[in-house]
Amino acid sequence: MTQTDFAGGWQTIEMVVTVKAYPAISNKYGESVCVAGVRTDTQKNELVRLFPVGFRDLEPHMQFKKYQHVTLRAKKGTTDRRPESWQPDLGSLKLGSTIDTSRKWHDRWELVHDLAGEFTTCEIRERAAKVGQNSRSLALIKPADVSGVIVTTNPAFDRTIAAAAAMAAAPDLFQNEKDALRAAPYRLQYEYRCQDRACSGHSQSLIDWEVGAAGLKWRDGKSGSVADQLKRKFYDDMCGSDRDVHFFIGNQHQNPGSFMVIGVFWPPQHSKPSDTLF
């Protein structure tokens, strides 16, 4: 059950991490990561967002993985009014077990069963554009089809951002130092239609940490075209006909009507357990 410190607005929440966005640099938060997942200590599983998360500032043994159970204190932020957003107290973070795919994705399906396909992209985007930050800002949508992926180089990492990254990597008061953040060298954008009958198509960037990490790894390895490797991984493999692909989508704090793909759920076709199991 949820434990609440009513004086400070803090709650102890339990969740399973399903999304880690690539780190971003801002003047207000420094280097931070947007983390999203499924809250499991509520009457019904629900999507939740943690921000800001200084992930690379965590001790290595506390750097949680995708689909890992975590418990921590969090409270509603004062500037981010999106209903799923929580400000975390990372000092209270406790790690639990990780949900693997040893049972053919059944356990991960059980986690997201009630959330998958609950909304379409058209529906959630139109609602957010009208209502703003108070509208739903996270969803796990089922594409009707994914027609392709566009891979482009990332021009955003200019000297200003590079300098900010170096500053964020400078030693703190305890002389702890980390490597300067390296930009994701490529951008990946999905082209798809959602399940809305009137959908004319969506073109949304994928901001998952794995995209940036893969781009850096494959660029450094200099083994073939990085763009082709990214397409094979994030389109051919993850969106192939043998996969029941879903997209975690989320919007931007300052632009509620603008949504991105923040993570991919790509179980094999016909792996979803019968509803009688739930």
Side-chain angles (χ1 to χ4, degrees), residues 21-26 29-34 51-55 57 181 209:
Y22 199 76
I25 295 288
S26 72
Y29 298 113
E31 181 185 320
S32 58
V33 171
C34 178
F51 186 83
V53 176
F55 186 80
D57 292 327
L181 175 66
W209 193 317

Side-chain angles (χ1 to χ4, degrees), residues 78-110:
T78 56
T79 58
D80 186 350
R81 300 193 306 275
R82 292 176 294 180
E84 302 93 343
S85 294
W86 293 80
Q87 177 184 330
D89 171 12
L90 296 178
S92 67
L93 180 66
K94 297 179 181 178
L95 307 187
S97 60
T98 301
I99 303 175
D100 60 25
T101 58
S102 60
R103 294 207 310 144
K104 299 182 179 179
W105 289 72
H106 286 196
D107 295 328
R108 292 186 179 182
W109 261 122
E110 184 174 11

